[in-house]
Amino acid sequence: MEIVVQRLVSPTAYQKHASRRPSIKSFYINNPTASFPCSLSLPSLSHSKVLLATPDAGVSAETSVWAMQDFYSLRKEVEATSRRVEEIRASAGLEQLGEEVAKLEKAAASDSFWDDRSSAQKTLMALTDVKDKINLLNDFQTQVDDAETIVNLTEEMESTDTALLEEAATIVKELNKALDKFELSQLLSGPYDKEGAVINITAGAGGTDAQDWADMLLRMYVRWGERQRYKTRVVEKSMGEEAGIKSATIEVEGRYAFGYLCGEKGTHRIVRQSPFNAKGLRQTSFCGIEVMPLLPEDSLNVEIPEEDLQIGFSRAGGSGGQNVNKVETAVRITHIPTGVTVRCTEERSQLANKIKALSRLKAKLMVIAIEQRATEIKQIRGDAVKADWGQQIRNYVFHPYKLVKDVRTGYETTDIVSVMDGELDPFIKAYLRFKYTQSM
Amino acid sequence: MNLSTLTRASSLSTTITSTTLRRSITISSSSLSYTPTSTNPKTPLFLRPPIFTATLTDLQKFQNWAKTLTSSIGSSFKDSDNGPDSTILHRELNWFIEDAVENPNSLLTQSETEIGRVVKLRAELGDLYTLWKQRIEKRRPFQYVVGCEHWRDLVLSVEEGVLIPRPETELIVDLVCDVMKMNEEMKSGLWVDLGTGSGAIGIAIARVLGEFGRVIATDLSPVAVHVAQFNVKRYNLQDKVSVMQGSWFDPLSGFEGRVAGLVSNPPYIPSGHINGLQAEVGRHEPILALDGGEDGMSDLLHLCNGAEFMLKSGGFFAFETNGEDQCRFLVDHMKSVHNNSFCDLKIIPDLAGIQRFVTGIRS
């Protein structure tokens, strides 16, 4: 899991940045009278914008005025960031991480280590992960130390060096971004969070209105996936009679797709003036979203006893076989003990549908097992398995006012257009934080 | 509502096709005709080189036209002869476009700015109109339209004159795999697929055989033999599978008592039922591969008799049938007429729950 942290956080960006720095700094050292170029605004200090807005603000008196204001707010920010780094390092358990490294290194040094290749691989990967995490946490400390040094230095010096302050501001800004990502990745620590995701969209009762709503949600999630640069595919889509869709399945490939999307599971409600109703009456429709991890075939090493499975194949009546030629090869698998059912229709052969349905069933059962805190599928209490998409999680009101509000977190926005265009991140993050605090 | 869309769709289709198709129809009549004239198998659409182009806008025009035409069907085919309804036809349309476009994902992820983008096609845009019209108006089977059928993990070339392998038949291979799991020796034996058609069962078995295992696949139809050979080559199984032309056991002289496994999906539809078949089947698929005589049993009984002298002791057979009645009849026949020749006779249902297969072991 930590690998991605390393990828997301930008040690390289920082290095790039750092290597660029000295030249700018030396420029200022060699040209003490040079006016501060306005293009290099301090993005994290928004209040300085006013002063930076005048391009001719090269007068030295003015420079020192706003630089002093900048300095105080910068000092404040550095202090806040320093506290934040401290907190994160404490909550990440640096000491335990160190112990873990020692433990894993000891295991890797043993003679019998390579006897079991796959477990050896796992150990080594875990070791790299933990080491990366420690490096990252130390990197946070180094960066905030750098910023603090600059602040202290400036305090001791008579005059302010804008280039140095600029550097400190950039460090703090980049560091806060990295800390955000780190925190988010800590929220995504579920066993399948780093996997891809399968989203099932099912129109609720209510005919064309609900089917159109399902189609809107389909577009929303596809857009979201594209924004995240995930590989997003609509693998199955069953058209509604007049407009919209009855159901659809999206596969989202990419790291953490499931972690981000799992909170989307539930019933999504829309309130609007019906476009399918001549009177334009206000209409409420529902749509169910179900999210499962997209697990690679070989990772599904759970065996489900064959007698627990009921495999059926929907085929429209008749004698079948040579009598019929229909491309419909949908396979439906029910896990008898829990009653959990999956159906796969998108593949072009029956075997392919069966394999896919089985892997979806396993993924679904594994997620339910986690929800129930069961260690294996056998322990899932069938009576406790709720309907595929149970409670209402979010309201989308188009009329009489515009509002999207998450029922669980209370997060809301009036910018419904952006939400329908895939701008879901604030909702997703709010839910992840909510889930995290709930579990504490 | 259905009626109005139908007229709309059909008038739309005639205007579009009459303007855009005149040229392409005359040029590419050979690739579009669907009478089995040559013995050279046609290349499935998805394997053809993407040498044609169309703008995304034009392709979407086609897509919308085809969608409208498809929606206009509603459940009329289903009501008349248990044919596909528009939901299934829409799915076929998606696959059709998937096969015809070089990079089908580009259609899903298009954004508004790319509307003038050029898409590479494996057939001329005009041909796509013609082909989809054939699908809907002539009820030409989807698999013949795209020239292939996805079956198990295989994509098999099919064309007029060759039975399109059915999903039910996929299970025969599972039954064979079960037998091989219980008896490893079967993996290096000689397997025979009688009436192989596109070669489906034979190829799938060849892929699970061991190093020394071989398959002989026979078919009476020269078109089927050519198509099966094409498919065998495509899966690089020329060394494992020999396709032979001839009626049932005729090409197998010399192998009596040496066959480890015998499988077949012979024609089993009673002659009287042929006229009532779904249009895709009755009007387009080879009657030779469907009509099993008055009670549909004539070829199955012939196979039973042949199995007795072709199979070696311990050899396995699996036959597909029309359903429960035929299965029972076959088992009774084997018990009474070929008493003590076969053991472990079983009737196995397909995934839809219809008693579909008879299997057994040569004593």
Side-chain angles (χ1 to χ4, degrees):
Chain A
M1 185 210 94
E2 281 75 11
I3 296 168
V4 88
V5 175
Q6 194 200 14
R7 193 170 57 87
L8 290 173
V9 175
S10 48
T12 46
Y14 173 66
Q15 277 157 14
K16 245 191 263 164
H17 189 76
S19 65
R20 221 174 42 227
R21 281 285 108 190
S23 64
I24 299 172
K25 213 192 289 176
S26 59
F27 169 78
Y28 280 97
I29 291 166
N30 298 333
N31 305 276
T33 54
S35 65
F36 190 77
C38 293
S39 56
L40 286 173
S41 64
L42 306 176
S44 59
L45 310 172
S46 53
H47 64 268
S48 64
K49 267 190 202 148
V50 185
L51 288 152
L52 284 166
T54 37
D56 299 323
V59 189
S60 59
E62 228 173 302
T63 310
S64 65
V65 169
W66 61 254
M68 282 311 284
Q69 285 180 346
D70 274 353
F71 175 69
Y72 289 127
S73 60
L74 177 65
R75 190 175 66 184
K76 236 170 139 183
E77 260 188 63
V78 170
E79 281 164 5
T81 311
S82 174
R83 277 197 301 277
R84 201 174 161 204
V85 169
E86 213 171 294
E87 276 169 24
I88 283 178
R89 281 168 60 93
S91 69
L94 259 182
E95 258 178 53
Q96 282 129 286
L97 289 177
E99 281 166 23
E100 215 177 318
V101 169
K103 201 180 84 191
L104 290 169
E105 273 175 344
K106 202 178 151 200
S110 87
D111 293 336
S112 58
F113 181 62
W114 284 106
D115 290 356
D116 182 350
R117 285 193 74 85
S118 76
S119 97
Q121 290 283 11
K122 265 186 205 155
T123 310
L124 287 184
M125 262 164 70
L127 188 61
T128 327
D129 279 357
V130 180
K131 278 185 172 169
D132 283 345
K133 197 169 172 183
I134 294 176
N135 285 343
L136 194 63
L137 288 165
N138 287 337
D139 198 43
F140 292 157
Q141 188 65 54
T142 322
Q143 289 185 50
V144 82
D145 286 350
D146 285 353
E148 272 178 334
T149 312
I150 292 172
V151 168
N152 293 338
L153 207 68
T154 312
E155 270 183 330
E156 284 165 25
M157 288 199 302
E158 291 286 296
S159 67
T160 49
D161 183 336
T162 38
L164 270 180
L165 290 182
E166 162 80 353
E167 179 172 343
T170 317
I171 291 175
V172 169
K173 186 188 156 210
E174 293 293 322
L175 180 56
N176 272 307
K177 266 196 213 162
L179 292 171
D180 282 347
K181 289 218 161 118
F182 182 80
E183 274 189 334
L184 199 57
S185 72
Q186 292 300 100
L187 298 176
L188 294 171
S189 56
Y192 304 116
D193 282 358
K194 63 169 168 286
E195 306 292 348
V198 181
I199 310 173
N200 278 339
I201 301 173
T202 315
T208 309
D209 271 296
Q211 289 169 3
D212 184 55
W213 172 225
D215 204 10
M216 289 162 75
L217 286 176
L218 172 66
R219 182 178 176 279
M220 179 177 88
Y221 286 115
V222 169
R223 281 292 165 106
W224 177 84
E226 282 165 8
R227 274 162 184 265
Q228 306 293 313
R229 314 227 163 240
Y230 285 140
K231 201 173 144 201
T232 309
R233 289 195 307 143
V234 180
V235 292
E236 191 263 339
K237 196 157 118 174
S238 156
M239 309 301 288
E241 283 90 4
E242 281 177 56
I245 54 167
K246 286 179 194 157
S247 68
T249 305
I250 315 172
E251 277 185 7
V252 187
E253 274 178 62
R255 291 187 72 101
Y256 289 100
F258 179 72
Y260 288 128
L261 286 169
C262 64
E264 295 298 301
K265 176 183 165 181
T267 301
H268 296 238
R269 171 174 173 257
I270 184 178
V271 182
R272 63 168 169 179
Q273 276 182 306
S274 169
F276 304 101
N277 179 320
K279 287 180 194 149
L281 293 175
R282 199 154 65 137
Q283 175 93 32
T284 299
S285 309
F286 299 92
C287 180
I289 302 286
E290 193 191 350
V291 185
M292 286 171 274
L294 180 64
L295 297 170
E297 185 58 32
D298 53 359
S299 80
L300 293 162
N301 49 3
V302 271
E303 283 303 319
I304 303 175
E306 216 156 286
E307 61 267 24
D308 283 359
L309 295 177
Q310 189 188 328
I311 301 178
F313 163 51
S314 65
R315 213 169 157 154
S319 334
Q322 289 164 9
N323 301 275
V324 182
N325 171 19
K326 278 186 200 158
V327 295
E328 170 87 43
T329 58
V331 172
R332 185 190 165 91
I333 306 184
T334 304
H335 183 241
I336 300 164
T338 57
V340 171
T341 298
V342 290
R343 189 163 171 270
C344 188
T345 60
E346 68 253 26
E347 297 295 326
R348 281 166 79 162
S349 87
Q350 181 174 278
L351 180 74
N353 272 325
K354 188 179 151 190
I355 291 171
K356 203 156 193 180
L358 195 58
S359 79
R360 280 208 187 132
L361 178 74
K362 284 179 183 174
K364 203 166 170 177
L365 288 171
M366 282 153 89
V367 171
I368 294 172
I370 291 167
E371 281 172 4
Q372 293 194 1
R373 294 169 199 278
T375 46
E376 24 178 355
I377 285 168
K378 257 193 278 180
Q379 296 177 345
I380 295 177
R381 287 158 292 126
D383 54 325
V385 177
K386 288 179 213 133
D388 285 345
W389 31 281
Q391 62 173 136
Q392 189 175 316
I393 62 151
R394 202 175 293 148
N395 288 312
Y396 304 72
V397 183
F398 285 72
H399 182 83
Y401 50 88
K402 291 193 179 354
L403 184 74
V404 185
K405 180 165 183 165
D406 197 289
V407 178
R408 303 158 301 183
T409 59
Y411 183 86
E412 60 180 51
T413 175
T414 53
D415 189 3
I416 201 161
V417 176
S418 295
V419 173
M420 295 317 297
D421 211 25
E423 183 59 54
L424 286 172
D425 281 357
F427 285 96
I428 288 172
K429 281 175 188 166
Y431 176 73
L432 288 174
R433 297 223 168 80
F434 165 78
K435 193 172 81 173
Y436 189 68
T437 49
Q438 292 271 302
S439 68
M440 291 300 274
Chain B
M1 179 247 131
N2 255 345
L3 197 66
S4 69
T5 33
L6 188 70
T7 35
R8 205 151 23 95
S10 59
S11 68
L12 187 68
S13 68
T14 41
T15 49
I16 291 176
T17 45
S18 60
T19 51
T20 55
L21 291 182
R22 199 163 299 132
R23 193 174 49 92
S24 57
I25 289 174
T26 49
I27 293 172
S28 49
S29 56
S30 67
S31 73
L32 294 173
S33 71
Y34 52 91
T35 36
T37 43
S38 75
T39 46
N40 266 350
K42 289 171 200 141
T43 313
L45 184 58
F46 83 105
L47 286 177
R48 290 184 211 162
I51 50 174
F52 305 98
T53 53
T55 63
L56 196 56
T57 325
D58 284 345
L59 185 62
Q60 277 166 344
K61 247 184 231 162
F62 162 74
Q63 205 174 2
N64 292 335
W65 166 82
K67 272 186 187 166
T68 315
L69 181 64
T70 306
S71 299
S72 71
I73 300 309
S75 63
S76 54
F77 293 170
K78 195 173 179 217
D79 299 340
S80 73
D81 61 10
N82 195 29
D85 62 11
S86 54
T87 308
I88 294 176
L89 290 168
H90 274 297
R91 187 168 293 152
E92 290 182 6
L93 177 60
N94 286 341
W95 290 338
F96 176 52
I97 291 169
E98 206 171 88
D99 279 6
V101 178
E102 185 195 31
N103 181 8
N105 280 341
S106 65
L107 289 180
L108 292 172
T109 56
Q110 42 105 359
S111 61
E112 286 80 359
T113 52
E114 289 182 297
I115 223 76
R117 201 166 41 127
V118 168
V119 188
K120 284 194 172 171
L121 301 177
R122 301 181 191 278
E124 268 194 81
L125 189 62
D127 290 352
L128 298 189
Y129 281 98
T130 315
L131 287 167
W132 196 250
K133 256 173 82 108
Q134 291 174 350
R135 174 68 193 104
I136 300 295
E137 290 171 7
K138 303 258 196 271
R139 306 275 307 267
R140 187 183 181 199
F142 169 72
Q143 297 89 340
Y144 290 160
V145 168
V146 293
C148 75
E149 167 71 330
H150 291 236
W151 192 84
R152 288 185 72 85
D153 50 351
L154 307 170
V155 184
L156 299 160
S157 169
V158 290
E159 62 181 57
E160 272 78 6
V162 181
L163 183 81
I164 298 158
R166 302 292 198 263
E168 285 90 342
T169 314
E170 291 187 13
L171 268 184
I172 289 189
V173 183
D174 288 333
L175 300 174
V176 170
C177 287
D178 289 346
V179 167
M180 287 182 183
K181 239 180 245 165
M182 283 192 296
N183 182 359
E184 282 283 318
E185 265 176 46
M186 299 293 264
K187 280 192 166 182
S188 28
L190 172 67
W191 286 77
V192 176
D193 174 13
L194 295 169
T196 191
S198 61
I201 311 176
I203 289 170
I205 291 178
R207 279 155 60 93
V208 293
L209 279 177
E211 197 190 339
F212 302 106
R214 291 288 179 273
V215 176
I216 297 178
T218 74
D219 207 295
L220 183 58
S221 148
V223 183
V225 167
H226 280 104
V227 169
Q229 271 164 347
F230 175 87
N231 285 322
V232 167
K233 260 191 218 129
R234 222 171 77 70
Y235 284 95
N236 203 21
L237 291 166
Q238 306 89 296
D239 299 340
K240 273 199 153 10
V241 185
S242 346
V243 186
M244 295 181 177
Q245 197 200 335
S247 174
W248 302 124
F249 298 96
D250 290 357
L252 291 172
S253 58
F255 291 104
E256 289 84 358
R258 295 166 55 188
V259 175
L262 188 70
V263 292
S264 182
N265 174 21
Y268 53 61
I269 299 176
S271 305
H273 295 189
I274 297 286
N275 277 335
L277 287 175
Q278 181 195 341
E280 280 82 359
V281 182
R283 278 194 228 156
H284 296 271
E285 289 198 272
I287 189 135
L288 179 73
L290 300 168
D291 190 341
E294 199 186 338
D295 56 357
M297 293 292 299
S298 52
D299 294 294
L300 278 166
L301 290 173
H302 180 67
L303 290 179
C304 280
N305 300 336
E308 190 179 353
F309 59 87
M310 288 312 291
L311 284 174
K312 62 179 183 186
S313 169
F316 168 83
F317 76 88
F319 299 138
E320 184 173 322
T321 76
N322 202 28
E324 193 176 346
D325 293 347
Q326 289 192 2
C327 281
R328 286 202 182 165
F329 188 92
L330 218 53
V331 169
D332 286 347
H333 172 83
M334 289 181 132
K335 276 183 185 158
S336 54
V337 179
H338 309 274
N339 56 338
N340 301 328
S341 296
F342 297 102
C343 61
D344 214 8
L345 291 169
K346 278 183 201 155
I347 295 175
I348 293 163
D350 61 20
L351 286 182
I354 298 173
Q355 307 292 334
R356 180 68 62 197
F357 308 101
V358 175
T359 66
I361 304 281
R362 178 77 172 91
S363 316

